[in-house]
């Protein structure tokens, strides 16, 4: 299943119950009849999650990484054209504060259900696994050196710094600098970039709101809420309320939790009730139904999005030297 960062909190609401652990199902919890109907998949782990209809019209995380590498190459080529021969492939353009803030956001968004893996819930509650956080940080941080002020003015354009020049080493700096030039190059054959990047996320958001109001999802959340409460923990309306309870992070500013006994117990109950009641399976079935209906209503626009995505992927292959 492709994971789209920052799509909707509602996606995280239900995926939070889809742990990737291998622990056995808890005794005494079984899916109600409505969670076992035809078309409702039995989801105990992330591996059980079928692909949603919209996923064929979305960029995968691998697509995003490849696009980033392609633009980095084009950007460096442009910078070398201005005389910056040693410009790094993955330059560090961040300030320390902005980097820390962005990384913290990435940790929260990167995996909407991984931290609620049953085994991890037992150990880390709703907090971050330090080993995983360290690996993510290493992957997230730029590998190249910091850019100089002079380089920055060419990289992002003269508007990026005071006293920036529109002509450097006899060449006019392109609009948005070499960074903007690289982005335009990869999208040169795309018919409608705004539609390509925005249409499916907007439809996903609208459908997620409709899913949240669906009585089938409301019903499984009510059952989940009672299940968690019956195990001796606070009554929450849904899993996202449990995972974002301010009690877990009160007094901390590092994005982690205190991992108190109550937090750990709540996290375990959350995951066990989700897995046992098949909350994620119900969410998937309702979401897939509404996505399929939306695709039928506006098939031509979705196909236009996919055609533009294919054009972008072709440009990425060319920039990475994978064609011809």
């Amino acid at each position: 299943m492709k994971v789209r960062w920052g799509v909707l909190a509602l996606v995280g609401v239900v995926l939070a119950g889809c742990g990737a652990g291998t622990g056995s199902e808890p005794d005494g919890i079984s899916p109600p009849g409505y969670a076992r109907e035809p078309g409702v998949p039995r989801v105990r782990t992330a591996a059980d999650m079928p692909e949603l209809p919209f996923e064929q019209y979305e960029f995968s995380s691998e697509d995003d990484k490849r696009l980033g590498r392609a633009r980095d190459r084009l950007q460096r080529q442009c910078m070398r054209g201005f005389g910056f021969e040693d410009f790094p492939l993955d330059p560090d353009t961040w300030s320390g504060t902005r980097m820390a803030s962005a990384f913290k956001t990435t940790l929260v968004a990167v995996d909407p259900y991984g931290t609620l893996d049953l085994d991890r819930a037992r150990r880390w509650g709703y907090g971050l696994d330090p080993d995983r956080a360290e690996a993510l940080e290493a992957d997230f941080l730029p590998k190249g050196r910091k850019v100089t002020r002079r380089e920055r003015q060419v990289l992002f354009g003269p508007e990026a710094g005071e006293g920036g020049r529109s002509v450097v080493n006899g060449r006019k700096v392109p609009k948005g600098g070499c960074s903007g030039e690289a982005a335009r190059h990869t999208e040169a054959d795309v018919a409608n970039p705004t539609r390509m990047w925005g249409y499916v996320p907007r439809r996903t958001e609208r459908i997620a709101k409709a899913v949240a109001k669906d009585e089938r999802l409301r019903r499984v959340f009510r059952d989940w809420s009672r299940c968690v409460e019956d195990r001796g923990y606070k009554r929450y309306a849904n899993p996202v309320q449990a995972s974002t309870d301010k009690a877990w992070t009160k007094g901390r500013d590092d994005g982690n939790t205190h991992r108190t006994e109550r937090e750990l117990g709540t996290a375990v109950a959350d995951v066990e009730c989700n897995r046992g009641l098949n909350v994620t399976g119900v969410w998937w079935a309702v979401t897939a139904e509404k996505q399929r209906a939306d695709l039928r209503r506006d098939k031509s626009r979705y196909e236009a999005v996919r055609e533009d995505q294919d054009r972008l992927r072709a440009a990425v292959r060319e920039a990475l030297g994978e064609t011809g």
Side-chain angles (χ1 to χ4, degrees), residues 170-218:
R171 292 187 59 190
K172 184 177 180 180
V173 178
K175 181 180 179 180
C178 285
S179 175
E181 182 75 1
R184 285 191 296 275
H185 184 92
T186 54
E187 294 182 9
D189 294 328
V190 173
N192 190 330
T194 300
R195 180 182 60 195
M196 180 186 69
W197 292 113
Y199 183 70
V200 176
R202 286 196 302 272
R203 298 307 303 166
T204 299
E205 181 176 355
R206 178 167 293 191
I207 286 171
K209 290 177 180 177
V211 170
K213 297 176 181 177
D214 191 284
E215 181 53 34
R216 289 166 291 181
L217 193 65
R218 291 176 180 269

Side-chain angles (χ1 to χ4, degrees), residues 31-44:
Y34 67 83
R36 290 183 281 109
E37 293 177 350
V40 180
R42 186 72 173 97
V43 179
R44 297 180 179 87

Side-chain angles (χ1 to χ4, degrees), residues 63-128:
D63 282 325
D64 293 336
K65 290 178 181 178
R66 285 174 54 78
L67 176 59
R69 292 199 296 270
R71 288 182 173 174
D72 283 345
R73 281 195 176 197
L74 293 168
Q75 179 178 272
R76 183 173 65 174
Q77 181 180 333
C78 174
M79 292 295 291
R80 286 176 171 174
F82 282 91
F84 301 102
E85 293 295 336
D86 66 340
F87 191 78
L89 185 61
D90 184 16
D92 181 358
T93 61
W94 296 79
S95 69
T97 302
R98 288 179 64 208
M99 176 65 76
S101 175
F103 176 58
K104 191 179 298 183
T105 301
T106 300
L107 280 179
V108 173
V110 103
D111 192 344
Y113 51 80
T115 56
L116 294 182
D117 172 299
L118 187 56
D119 293 334
R120 290 177 61 191
R122 289 172 176 147
R123 187 173 183 184
W124 305 113
Y126 293 110
L128 306 173

